[in-house]
Amino acid sequence: MTGVQTCALPILEQRLLLSPESPIVLLIRKTANPQSAIRNSQSIAPGNPYLGAMLPYTPLHQLLMNELGFPVIATSGNLSDEPICTDERDALTRLRGIADLFLVHNRPIARHVDDSIVRLMAGREMVLRRARGYAPLPIHLTPHRKDSMHSTLATGAHLKNAIALAVGQNVFTGQHIGDLETAQAYEAFQHVITSFERLYETQPETIVCDAHAAYLSTQFAHSSSLPVKPVQHHLAHVMACVAENEIELPVLGVAWDGTGFGLDETIWGGEFLHIRNGKAVRAAHLRTFALPSGEAAVKQPKRIALGLLYELFGEEVFARTGLAPLQAFTATEREVLRTMLLRKLNAPRTSSAGRLFDAVASLIKLRHETRFEGQAAMELEFALKDITTNECYPFGLNESQIQNSTSKIILDWQPLILALLKDVQANIPVGLMSARFHNTMAAMIVAVAKQVQVERVALSGGCFQNKYLLERAIEQLRQAGFRPYWHQRIPTNDGGIAVGQIAAAKWQVELVR
């Protein structure tokens, strides 16, 4: 393995590389190694301490790599946001501008399948993208007194889409399709559904989908003639973890991600769901704030940070031009955003943990704009490097009265942000601020678990692709006497949503207000 000159290769990662699934494995790169087999390796994924590595897994790969005798840099045969090409004529048209040569074959490709991606987390594999080698291998749903034995199709989420098909107690998962943002992606989505129904010789009797009416996956479900069961996004996240780990209810589910349509029609993403007796209750969530420009703000953490600051300081924030996010805007842009926030125009409320990560990345001058999904949060994680500390920022744990005289816990990030801003002003190292922030987020999980008092805690959602956050939360929960569960072979991101949709539908678990 000449790649070991470029990346560290511990025994667990080595076993994954050599496993029958042959996934892409995220390995820690060696810094500035003059013996690296890949020239200028630091120019690949700059700023990222990891490189994705895989070994040849087909005879053709073996022949090519034996001839070359050195590692190569590879990427998928597709344009951004599109599925990979499976037809050589299509490839010649779509990839003409980025590929100089095409190696073609006389055997047609029946279906597109990406390479699976795996990262070692908490001492075991976590599949981040489930495709070749893992899909369509099923997971087995444990028998439940409310089981529906109907054949059920789940259309998954809008981002990182993957479908699932339940036949009896087995749930067969489709390969990664990607974001349903293009006509090609939606066409691939429809093709996979047709292919699955033919492969397993079944016609679904029910369709489950996301509760967001604007998602193409949801619209596909409602365009069919079958009964449709919407499942709220974060309930699906938690139920995917419950199903994979065969967790007995009751359970406290922690669903942290970037975006999900909430029952109150706001953007959820920092959720704690208490699931028992067929009902899921929103037991706690992060304090909400305005998201100027809505989903368009996702690519500009500075907008998210401004929404957070506006929640704290109101209009006064626009006089604080020394703050990093404010400095990242022109005077004209600041005025437009001021009007937007003041009049509540295109500024929906969000409780998203993912957006909180983005905002902190901007506040500490790490990343104001992103080029790809999750970039700001990833760089916040990478800033930790070798820092070791148990220090946390303060946070609030408030109760808000809701219907039926019950209460809901609101995790208040205001003390956290105020303390963070003091650290920024004092020029505290970025890595230390990142560590304190991550520790605080893990402490929030433990604090809610202590309030709800449910032994089993399921961690799901895209935020738990963060190795430090996941491992810190697991460690702290165990020390506090709880039993944490997390994903392994079903993605914790939206790629696992379809499995959760089926589990919620078959076990008749509903999220109630």
Side-chain angles (χ1 to χ4, degrees), residues 4 7-17 26-28 120:
V4 298
C7 297
L9 192 60
I11 187 65
L12 292 179
E13 281 85 347
Q14 184 175 333
R15 288 176 183 171
L16 271 176
L17 279 173
L26 297 186
L27 303 176
I28 297 177
L120 260 291

Side-chain angles (χ1 to χ4, degrees), residues 2-10 13 25-34 36-53 73 119 371-372 378 382 385-386:
T2 54
V4 298
Q5 298 170 341
T6 303
C7 297
L9 192 60
E13 281 85 347
V25 182
L26 297 186
L27 303 176
I28 297 177
R29 71 168 90 203
K30 295 179 179 178
T31 56
N33 183 357
S36 173
I38 302 177
R39 294 181 181 178
N40 302 318
S41 62
Q42 295 304 311
S43 66
I44 307 166
N48 191 328
Y50 293 88
L51 287 178
I73 302 164
R119 185 182 186 186
R371 296 189 300 274
F372 55 86
M378 288 169 60
F382 299 156
K385 294 182 180 177
D386 299 321

Side-chain angles (χ1 to χ4, degrees), residues 311-448:
E311 184 72 17
L312 296 184
F313 304 118
E315 277 196 89
E316 180 195 339
V317 71
F318 291 96
R320 301 190 175 207
T321 53
L323 294 171
L326 272 294
Q327 291 178 334
F329 293 107
T330 65
T332 302
E333 289 172 331
R334 286 196 293 269
E335 186 58 31
V336 171
L337 290 165
R338 175 182 170 278
T339 302
M340 190 180 294
L341 290 164
L342 182 63
R343 298 183 181 178
K344 300 180 180 179
L345 298 173
N346 192 22
R349 306 288 297 182
T350 183
S351 60
S352 169
R355 299 291 82 87
L356 187 58
F357 272 82
D358 291 341
V360 168
S362 176
L363 289 170
I364 64 176
K365 309 175 187 178
L366 192 61
R367 172 65 57 179
H368 293 309
E369 298 190 15
T370 62
R371 296 189 300 274
F372 55 86
E373 183 191 4
Q375 183 179 11
M378 288 169 60
E379 292 183 359
L380 193 61
E381 177 190 358
F382 299 156
L384 290 163
K385 294 182 180 177
D386 299 321
I387 292 177
T388 302
T389 180
N390 292 320
E391 296 173 2
C392 292
Y393 291 120
F395 62 90
L397 201 66
N398 309 321
E399 287 195 355
S400 172
Q401 292 300 123
I402 54 177
Q403 59 186 3
N404 301 324
S405 299
T406 58
S407 62
K408 179 172 56 179
I409 300 166
I410 308 297
L411 283 162
D412 190 357
W413 37 258
Q414 178 169 334
L416 183 166
I417 298 301
L418 292 176
L420 180 78
L421 291 175
K422 288 183 179 179
D423 276 359
V424 172
Q425 191 173 17
N427 293 318
I428 299 298
V430 167
L432 181 54
M433 288 189 286
S434 176
R436 289 171 176 170
F437 171 71
H438 280 83
N439 292 344
T440 308
M441 298 299 282
M444 286 181 174
I445 294 172
V446 178
V448 173

